[in-house]
Amino acid sequence: YTPGGRRIKHPRAANFVWKTRNGKYLQWFHNNGGEAAHNPEWVAGGRGYYQNRNPAWILGGIEKEGYIHWSQPEILLYDDDPSVRMSYPDLIEDEGRYFVTETQKTIARVHEIDSALLEGMWNQVEAKQVARKGLALELAGSSVKTNSTADMPLLPNLKEGQGFTLDFWIRFNELSPGQIILDTRNERGKGIALTTSDRFTIKLTLNDGQAESSWDSDPGTHEGTLKINAWQHVCVVVDGGSKIITFVVDGVLNDGGAIRQFGWGRFNKDLGDVSGLGKVALAPKLFGELKSLKVYNRYLRTSEAVSNYRAGIK
């Protein structure tokens, strides 16, 4: 991403870099992969090298002192069927509008790209504004003290392609499993919960009363992983369109590091309403402290999550 920084993860597929008319850069990639030595199953029979081309991700780049510094990535395109592969892209600029073409040899498509998505990536190193659009709940100070409760807004129905975001500052005294950061679940388990896992990560659980899915942040010690005795910003984004959960920790979108092929995870496409009790239990079992909590009734773009982090702890 930057000189001497973490490597961009990409399977064996087309990887394109374009220089745009404004002198900046864009890179098409698929944001997954890793060394086969870590886990041979990732590339079983050699087939794995060519899979996982959905979704397509995009990076924004700015040249500094002869090197391109890349942004945190955004999802660019996705297909509802995870097995559909997208590749062989090209970029078209026309009077300030951006279009991306892609194909899988038999079907070719053209997509207009929202310029705000691209501008957001190019501005990540400077943006420090807290996102206000879609902010359904904002708690700070005594409102997020240990073992307190608050009214929880209804969350959008994931089956209808909508999403939501949980954004908070947290400090762990230890990373033992079973800690509860927040919980909205009712007696039947319907709702959402953020807990610590047995591999020192934060785990999100989604339950609509019939189906359940979960995903956790990156394990390990690389950028974007959890620490103890330090304030950290965590943004958990649930995108009901792509059916993908992402974690952005201290402004770094989790990519799995050396331990996982993916830093992002898919949830059950049939998950619907995951609103629970209408109340949220805050830190009922936490060896640490919550500083603030924001709940958005939409998915935040990665650039917005990074900007929230750069705005600082409130």
Side-chain angles (χ1 to χ4, degrees):
Y1 284 82
T2 57
R6 64 173 179 157
R7 294 190 295 175
I8 294 169
K9 297 180 75 171
H10 184 66
R12 189 169 293 175
N15 174 229
F16 276 68
V17 173
W18 301 291
K19 187 173 184 178
T20 55
R21 291 176 182 173
N22 59 12
K24 299 175 183 178
Y25 296 85
L26 295 171
Q27 180 175 177
W28 163 292
F29 77 125
H30 293 289
N31 200 20
N32 71 88
E35 301 292 344
H38 290 300
N39 190 338
E41 293 180 3
W42 293 357
V43 290
R47 296 187 301 276
Y49 283 123
Y50 300 94
Q51 304 302 316
N52 303 308
R53 299 181 183 181
N54 177 17
W57 295 71
I58 193 81
L59 295 166
I62 298 175
E63 187 174 354
K64 297 179 181 179
E65 299 179 350
Y67 293 92
I68 299 176
H69 292 243
W70 295 105
S71 70
Q72 297 301 304
E74 299 274 13
I75 293 176
L76 179 68
L77 301 171
Y78 67 87
D79 192 282
D80 291 335
D81 181 355
S83 67
V84 169
R85 299 188 296 169
M86 295 174 283
S87 196
Y88 312 107
D90 210 343
L91 176 72
I92 301 169
E93 287 187 73
D94 181 29
E95 297 182 349
R97 298 167 69 188
Y98 297 87
F99 301 84
V100 168
T101 65
E102 49 84 17
T103 181
Q104 194 42 254
K105 300 180 181 178
T106 58
I107 300 175
R109 293 164 285 242
V110 181
H111 312 267
E112 183 168 6
I113 306 303
D114 184 355
S115 61
L117 178 75
L118 310 183
E119 293 291 345
M121 293 188 300
W122 288 324
N123 292 328
Q124 278 183 19
V125 295
E126 298 177 353
K128 296 181 180 180
Q129 296 80 32
V130 172
R132 309 305 300 182
K133 180 182 177 183
L135 183 56
L137 177 67
E138 184 173 20
L139 301 173
S142 60
S143 298
V144 288
K145 66 182 180 181
T146 300
N147 205 25
S148 61
T149 61
D151 291 334
M152 181 70 177
L154 289 175
L155 298 175
N157 192 308
L158 298 177
K159 201 168 185 178
E160 296 174 356
Q162 303 178 67
F164 66 90
T165 302
L166 306 172
D167 178 293
F168 55 96
W169 285 88
I170 192 167
R171 179 182 57 79
F172 286 103
N173 295 335
E174 59 178 75
L175 292 173
S176 55
Q179 298 180 62
I180 303 173
I181 300 166
L182 64 82
D183 195 345
T184 73
R185 294 173 294 185
N186 62 22
E187 66 280 356
R188 296 185 295 113
K190 181 176 182 289
I192 66 172
L194 281 175
T195 58
T196 53
S197 76
D198 58 3
R199 54 182 186 173
F200 314 118
T201 64
I202 294 176
K203 175 183 174 182
L204 172 68
T205 300
L206 307 172
N207 187 304
D208 67 357
Q210 295 182 313
E212 182 172 288
S213 291
S214 63
W215 188 254
D216 64 337
S217 60
D218 274 356
T221 58
H222 55 278
E223 286 183 283
T225 55
L226 301 183
K227 305 172 184 176
I228 60 171
N229 299 321
W231 283 106
Q232 292 189 276
H233 179 257
V234 180
C235 199
V236 188
V237 182
V238 180
D239 182 351
S242 62
K243 310 300 183 189
I244 284 175
I245 300 168
T246 54
F247 279 79
V248 184
V249 179
D250 291 342
V252 176
L253 186 132
N254 283 187
D255 68 359
I259 297 175
R260 301 195 295 183
Q261 183 177 4
F262 302 90
W264 47 273
R266 299 185 190 275
F267 59 86
N268 189 324
K269 65 181 179 60
D270 294 321
L271 270 177
D273 175 17
V274 295
S275 293
L277 289 168
K279 296 281 186 180
V280 56
L282 299 167
K285 184 182 178 184
L286 177 65
F287 301 123
E289 185 180 357
L290 269 178
K291 191 74 171 182
S292 68
L293 171 67
K294 297 180 180 68
V295 178
Y296 294 85
N297 59 15
R298 66 180 181 92
Y299 68 88
L300 291 190
R301 290 174 172 170
T302 305
S303 297
E304 293 176 299
V306 173
S307 184
N308 278 9
Y309 163 66
R310 289 177 53 79
I313 192 168
K314 304 296 184 182

